[in-house]
Amino acid sequence: MTGASRSVQRVALFGLPGAGKSTAAGLLRRTLAGMDRHVEVIKLAAPLYDVQAAFYARARTRLAEGQQDGELLNFLGSHFRTAAPGLLLEDFAQRAAAAELAGADVLLCDDARPADLDGLRDQGFTLVRVTAPDALRRERKAGRGDRRAGRDDHPTELGGDGVEADLVLDNAGDLPALEEQVVELAKRLPAAPAEQEAAEQVVASLVGLAREVITERYAENRHQIGAVVVTGDGRVFTGIHLEAMVGRASVCAEAVALGQARAAGAGDLMLALAVRHPKPSEERRDIKLVPPCGLCRELLLDYGPRVSTVVQDGDEMRVVPLASLLPHKYVGTKWPTR
């Protein structure tokens, strides 16, 4: 797989709840975007948030936008690290690599915890401590409106004081004061070349996932195509082709995967790929990478103008802009185009 080399910045913010990690990350994202960087926020605790969302959906209630259940997340954070040590960092590394493959050249983690800081540093992240006076921090935390507040003395929150940060943000003042520090911090962030080998491994992993999905669900004349879509923050969604007795009612695997992503609240489609499972009557039994069909090219570009796909070029897999496979896309009037 080939591609142009580029520099990547990886930044992880840590500090006690209420210190202002998310606020600082938002300011940093805006500042770096103004410097023509493609920034994505990658949540280390995404698996915990997924379980939290599933719990509240099953309980037939919902958390408000941005609201958290701190007590539940405390419990899940401890349990994940006990039941599956290393999972959070491994899952995070995969999503970070996928986000870079999808085009991000700055990755921000705004929910780092002390237990994970060594692992994040090993992954090339610059560690930024966000601090605030304790009384002010507690006031900010109380004002977030969480369903239940997490504990400052919970084991998942302890140990940060002993970590040597690369950079520090003092959030003791107002928002303009914090923004001024963030602007200066953005100028000091180190960058490193993106690793081509890592990108190749991510592509191979995504293709492998699509093959696994269709292998498990293949049914002749019903399910033949498996697809994977990746959003800007590195989340991965899968889908399988749905064949109908009336051909026009059939649904492509890419559309199913896209629906999964949209249902999860993802709106920044960045990469899509598909594989085809052979029929029992075919002599060759390998599951091949296939380009999206014309209808899927139209659909995917409607929801991700910057989306790329993976094509087979001889023995090599290449990531190419999907628009290059559909040079004269239809432009309608249903919604504003970007």
Side-chain angles (χ1 to χ4, degrees):
M1 194 186 80
T2 58
S5 62
R6 56 193 176 89
S7 62
V8 178
Q9 293 173 317
R10 292 184 163 206
V11 187
L13 281 66
F14 71 99
L16 285 171
K21 298 185 294 296
S22 295
T23 300
L27 293 171
L28 186 56
R29 182 176 193 173
R30 188 174 69 187
T31 299
L32 291 168
M35 298 164 63
D36 294 325
R37 306 305 299 267
H38 177 174
V39 186
E40 290 292 347
V41 176
I42 313 295
K43 299 284 189 181
L44 176 67
L48 280 59
Y49 304 141
D50 289 344
V51 175
Q52 174 184 251
F55 170 83
Y56 274 94
R58 190 66 182 85
R60 299 182 180 179
T61 185
R62 288 184 178 275
L63 295 173
E65 182 71 24
Q67 189 181 40
Q68 305 288 0
D69 183 336
E71 286 188 22
L72 178 58
L73 292 175
N74 281 164
F75 166 76
L76 292 173
S78 292
H79 196 68
F80 264 71
R81 289 177 174 86
T82 301
L87 172 65
L88 291 179
L89 281 169
E90 292 168 9
D91 178 83
F92 179 83
Q94 292 171 356
R95 287 183 287 113
E100 287 186 8
L101 177 66
D105 55 20
V106 180
L107 302 182
L108 296 183
C109 172
D110 65 354
D111 62 348
R113 292 297 185 266
D116 305 305
L117 295 178
D118 286 342
L120 288 172
R121 181 166 272 151
D122 289 342
Q123 292 184 26
F125 278 80
T126 297
L127 303 184
V128 179
R129 186 194 307 275
V130 183
T131 66
D134 199 53
L136 179 59
R137 180 186 62 78
R138 291 178 184 276
E139 180 183 342
R140 290 171 177 161
K141 178 184 173 183
R144 295 193 309 201
D146 286 345
R147 182 66 65 94
R148 295 182 298 177
R151 288 167 39 202
D152 292 347
D153 62 349
H154 191 270
T156 58
E157 303 291 354
L158 299 177
D161 291 342
V163 175
E164 183 178 351
D166 299 303
L167 298 166
V168 177
L169 290 173
D170 179 10
N171 192 17
D174 56 14
L175 194 62
L178 178 61
E179 185 171 15
E180 184 176 339
Q181 294 180 66
V182 166
V183 170
E184 290 303 312
L185 180 142
K187 299 175 183 176
R188 300 171 56 192
L189 291 175
E195 297 182 18
Q196 186 65 28
E197 182 180 352
E200 293 175 352
Q201 291 173 350
V202 173
V203 170
S205 175
L206 293 172
V207 172
L209 176 59
R211 287 174 174 154
E212 179 181 329
V213 167
I214 195 57
T215 298
E216 292 177 351
R217 296 288 181 263
Y218 174 74
E220 188 175 7
N221 297 324
R222 286 186 180 268
H223 312 307
Q224 189 175 8
I225 306 293
V228 166
V229 301
V230 182
T231 57
D233 61 1
R235 284 184 289 171
V236 176
F237 301 89
T238 62
I240 59 173
H241 166 234
L242 304 175
E243 188 68 34
M245 191 66 73
V246 178
R248 290 180 61 188
S250 299
V251 181
C252 290
E254 294 94 326
V256 175
L258 174 60
Q260 297 267 29
R262 297 292 292 182
D268 53 346
L269 181 65
M270 297 301 295
L271 184 73
L273 61 89
V275 299
R276 176 186 177 273
H277 193 289
K279 293 183 177 182
S281 59
E282 294 181 55
E283 184 176 343
R284 293 198 59 171
R285 307 305 303 153
D286 52 327
I287 300 175
K288 293 183 178 180
L289 188 68
V290 292
C293 71
L295 286 175
C296 283
R297 296 177 197 189
E298 289 280 357
L299 176 66
L300 293 169
L301 286 166
D302 278 341
Y303 286 88
R306 296 182 296 162
V307 65
S308 294
T309 191
V310 182
V311 297
Q312 193 76 42
D313 186 3
D315 295 331
E316 186 179 67
M317 291 184 292
R318 292 195 298 120
V319 178
V320 299
L322 186 57
S324 68
L325 305 184
L326 190 67
H328 302 290
K329 187 195 180 307
Y330 176 76
V331 178
T333 58
K334 287 185 178 180
W335 55 70
T337 57
R338 286 177 280 180

